[in-house]
Amino acid sequence: MTAVYDRALHPAGINVAQWSLMRRIPSPGEAPITIHELAARAELERSTVARNLRVLEKAGLVEVSTSVADRRASAIVLTAEAERVAVLALPLWQGAQAEVERMLTVEGAGQLRSLALSVGTEES
């Protein structure tokens, strides 16, 4: 499944993991988010988010700045370039969604989403 999304998003210059993270980061002009908050939103380990942010930062898609008040907290926000990429990527991602639903059938895709949501809400 990841390959379907990665292939679809390739023209936008990003992969599905980067797209998923970008969708959780505030746009320019909005209040920035910390790595800790982003990791919680994405339900990922902080170290995984930090690695992926470095890739996005090198690509010019996010700005990461250190807070003067707390040097351990980084403020993250999308760049104008990320906004341009998002406009290109959204219909590509939607096309991949449609392809996955065709592959699984709408019912199968719904069951997969339900399963993913139930796994994400179960307590350890």
Side-chain angles (χ1 to χ4, degrees), residues 77-119:
V77 68
L78 293 175
T79 64
E81 176 64 11
E83 295 288 304
R84 186 194 68 73
V85 168
V87 167
L88 178 60
L90 181 59
L92 299 173
W93 182 82
Q94 290 169 332
Q97 277 289 102
E99 182 178 345
V100 166
E101 286 187 1
R102 279 191 303 277
M103 290 167 52
L104 296 175
T105 73
V106 174
E107 182 182 332
Q111 290 173 348
L112 185 60
R113 270 192 292 279
S114 293
L115 177 62
L117 288 172
S118 70
V119 169

Side-chain angles (χ1 to χ4, degrees), residues 8-68:
L9 290 168
H10 186 268
I14 58 174
N15 64 36
V16 70
Q18 294 163 343
W19 172 247
S20 179
L21 205 55
M22 285 174 58
R23 292 181 64 163
R24 291 172 170 84
I25 299 172
S27 296
E30 295 180 355
I33 189 171
T34 66
I35 292 177
H36 179 76
E37 292 167 331
L38 183 56
R41 280 187 189 180
E43 297 181 0
L44 295 169
E45 294 290 325
R46 188 185 181 286
S47 59
T48 301
V49 170
R51 273 192 309 276
N52 289 329
L53 280 174
R54 281 192 291 276
V55 173
L56 292 173
E57 187 176 27
K58 285 181 184 177
L61 300 175
V62 298
E63 288 180 2
V64 180
S65 60
T66 305
S67 167
V68 175

